[in-house]
Amino acid sequence: MQRKNYFLKTSKYKNSRSGIAMIMAITVIVIVATIMALSLSMTAQTTKRTTDLYLYEQSVLMSKSATEYALLRISQNNGCLNTIAPFTIDSIYDITIDIKYIGTAPTACSDYISNIQTPEQDGSVLLDVTVSINDTNITNEPITFFRRSIQKL
């Protein structure tokens, strides 16, 4: 008994095969290639987002630390420090601190805001902390975090 497999052959053309199997194989290859390209693209985007999020969170923490550092430096100078030079941490984070005092101005200090409304406002400091990352080896776009806070001296 002989088995005859003619499911790829038509009855009219017994020596030629149908091209449906080839079309199905090409379709499967195109679908798999599309899925792989999308997967690769999403992996690259996820890596960039993770890096940017990490650097942003580090910038937030650095700004809090820079605020505490500025208060320490002000207290070491008896409540009057005109400037803190910009500095860099880990050769990545550029930190700039601007200081403005709120209250009645001593003679040695500059950058005072003297239009206070209540006596409780006297002896405060307005700190503007800017943390920026401009290293093109780490991220393609600059990341900058700005924090303004009023601290009591």
Side-chain angles (χ1 to χ4, degrees), residues 72-132:
L72 174 69
R73 292 285 308 272
I74 290 170
S75 68
Q76 288 175 344
N77 288 351
N78 297 325
C80 182
L81 180 67
N82 290 330
T83 59
I84 295 177
F87 55 95
T88 302
I89 296 177
D90 294 335
S91 71
I92 299 172
Y93 304 99
D94 297 326
I95 299 175
T96 305
I97 301 172
D98 294 325
I99 302 170
K100 290 190 184 204
Y101 295 95
I102 301 172
T104 56
T107 58
C109 294
S110 61
D111 287 336
Y112 255 84
I113 301 171
S114 60
N115 56 351
I116 60 172
Q117 302 297 322
T118 63
E120 290 83 15
Q121 290 176 334
D122 193 19
S124 298
V125 66
L126 178 69
L127 293 172
D128 292 335
V129 178
T130 305
V131 180
S132 61

Side-chain angles (χ1 to χ4, degrees), residues 15-125:
N15 291 332
S16 65
R17 294 187 179 184
S18 172
I20 192 73
M22 181 66 75
I23 293 172
M24 288 176 55
I26 292 172
T27 304
V28 168
I29 289 172
V30 167
I31 290 172
V32 168
T34 304
I35 291 172
M36 293 297 288
L38 286 173
S39 173
L40 184 62
S41 172
M42 291 191 68
T43 301
Q45 287 179 356
T46 304
T47 303
K48 183 185 180 312
R49 285 184 189 158
T50 302
T51 303
D52 288 347
L53 182 63
Y54 173 77
L55 291 172
Y56 178 78
E57 292 295 327
Q58 285 294 102
S59 297
V60 171
L61 293 174
M62 292 287 177
S63 72
K64 291 179 182 179
S65 297
T67 301
E68 296 296 323
Y69 174 71
L71 289 174
L72 174 69
R73 292 285 308 272
I74 290 170
S75 68
Q76 288 175 344
N77 288 351
N78 297 325
C80 182
L81 180 67
N82 290 330
T83 59
I84 295 177
F87 55 95
T88 302
I89 296 177
D90 294 335
S91 71
I92 299 172
Y93 304 99
D94 297 326
I95 299 175
T96 305
I97 301 172
D98 294 325
I99 302 170
K100 290 190 184 204
Y101 295 95
I102 301 172
T104 56
T107 58
C109 294
S110 61
D111 287 336
Y112 255 84
I113 301 171
S114 60
N115 56 351
I116 60 172
Q117 302 297 322
T118 63
E120 290 83 15
Q121 290 176 334
D122 193 19
S124 298
V125 66

